[in-house]
Amino acid sequence: MMPGIFSKKILSYFYWLILLTVFAVSSSWAAPVEVTVFPETARVWEETDSLLIREDKRSFVELTLPAPADPETLNFSINSDQPVSVEDINWERTEIHAIHQVAVLKEKLDGLLREKDSLEISIESTEKEAAFWENQAGFQATEPAAMEEISRTIASNLLKIYTHIQDVRQQLEKVNIDINDLERRIEQITGPERRVWTVRVFLEVPDDKEEINIAYNYILTNSGWKSYYRLEAQPGENHIRFTWHAEVWQSSGVDW
């Protein structure tokens, strides 16, 4: 009886592992659309709408692969409603500052950092203005009417100031969120090595074509998984408990 229970439990654990794997592929990974993890590598599928770059009468798209990727394993397909053919493909190691996509993101990041500084200065100066009007609350006028007018003026100005400070703080909070998002995207592109593969796919395309949808996949090194098993016999209950865990790792700099 025990062998039968054991085999059913093994099949049950395999079944749930497959379901969890499919769910993770379809719902969890932000950058790749699909990943198959092998014991010491992984194959990653991605898809992007890439702008066409035109230089020296040639048209090409740039793909950025993480540092642990193997560009020689790159496969790709182009989805287009117009005739498109591939002329050539090359790749090279690229420093972070030389990556066109990162350069654009860093330009946006620099703009947000300047905006953050401006907002913080605005808050600081407005808080000083508020402190000035708060100090006027102790002013005593000789006439009750004048005192009432001063009180209304102080209250009105403080209300405007506090409202402005609150609005600026909300703007600053949004800017900080955008800064964190851009920093995360730059880190995803470059990975921990701060170097990537820049792949150029040269294409023959119509002159009015501005963007290409390209799907591609590649082998990623420095990734893999290990199995961990636990077999617990409970003869008093005529039962065997079997559990199977997997440790998955990758160091691409992309969150999946």
Side-chain angles (χ1 to χ4, degrees):
M1 182 175 181
M2 283 175 56
I5 296 175
F6 175 67
S7 61
K8 288 179 182 179
K9 285 191 171 292
I10 290 179
L11 289 175
S12 175
Y13 278 106
F14 269 98
Y15 175 72
W16 283 108
L17 183 64
I18 292 171
L19 283 184
L20 288 172
T21 302
V22 171
F23 178 77
V25 169
S26 60
S27 303
S28 300
W29 295 328
V33 296
E34 184 179 345
V35 176
T36 299
V37 183
F38 304 105
E40 296 183 356
T41 60
R43 181 166 285 278
V44 182
W45 281 262
E46 299 184 16
E47 184 174 351
T48 184
D49 292 319
S50 183
L51 291 175
L52 276 165
I53 303 171
R54 302 184 190 274
E55 290 182 2
D56 300 328
K57 299 182 179 180
R58 303 187 73 186
S59 301
F60 62 91
V61 294
E62 280 191 353
L63 305 177
T64 302
L65 306 186
D70 182 356
E72 293 188 0
T73 64
L74 181 66
N75 297 308
F76 60 88
S77 61
I78 295 171
N79 303 312
S80 176
D81 56 356
Q82 297 174 285
V84 175
S85 60
V86 178
E87 293 183 334
D88 192 13
I89 179 172
N90 62 46
W91 54 82
E92 63 178 349
R93 285 281 194 185
T94 311
E95 299 288 345
I96 177 175
H97 60 79
I99 305 169
H100 177 73
Q101 184 180 1
V102 172
V104 172
L105 293 177
K106 285 185 71 65
E107 184 177 351
K108 292 181 180 180
L109 179 60
D110 291 341
L112 287 174
L113 291 173
R114 288 193 297 270
E115 184 178 354
K116 176 183 177 180
D117 290 341
S118 177
L119 292 172
E120 289 176 342
I121 290 172
S122 176
I123 291 174
E124 184 179 353
S125 62
T126 310
E127 285 177 342
K128 290 180 179 179
E129 186 179 356
F132 168 79
W133 285 106
E134 288 169 354
N135 290 333
Q136 306 311 307
F139 178 80
Q140 297 295 324
T142 56
E143 297 293 332
M147 188 64 201
E148 185 176 346
E149 180 64 26
I150 292 172
S151 177
R152 282 198 300 268
T153 301
I154 293 173
S156 176
N157 285 330
L158 285 176
L159 177 61
K160 293 177 182 178
I161 291 169
Y162 291 147
T163 301
H164 176 71
I165 291 175
Q166 181 63 25
D167 290 343
V168 176
R169 282 178 175 165
Q170 289 177 353
Q171 295 177 44
L172 181 60
E173 182 179 355
K174 182 180 182 305
V175 168
N176 282 328
I177 292 174
D178 291 342
I179 287 173
N180 291 336
D181 180 61
L182 279 176
E183 290 176 339
R184 178 184 59 81
R185 289 170 64 188
I186 292 173
E187 179 63 28
Q188 286 181 346
I189 294 171
T190 60
E193 295 186 33
R194 315 302 291 177
R195 284 162 59 93
V196 296
W197 289 104
T198 297
V199 179
R200 288 188 171 188
V201 182
F202 292 89
L203 304 169
E204 184 176 341
V205 295
D207 293 337
D208 60 344
K209 196 73 172 176
E210 297 182 353
E211 192 174 72
I212 288 290
N213 178 271
I214 182 168
Y216 56 98
N217 63 82
Y218 55 87
I219 290 293
L220 185 72
T221 60
N222 291 351
S223 59
W225 71 285
K226 292 180 180 179
S227 292
Y228 294 90
Y229 306 92
R230 178 180 175 85
L231 190 65
E232 183 180 352
Q234 299 173 331
E237 301 178 11
N238 197 28
H239 186 78
I240 294 178
R241 185 182 301 276
F242 174 78
T243 57
W244 180 16
H245 300 276
E247 177 188 357
V248 182
W249 74 91
Q250 59 98 6
S251 58
S252 67
V254 179
D255 183 10
W256 48 265

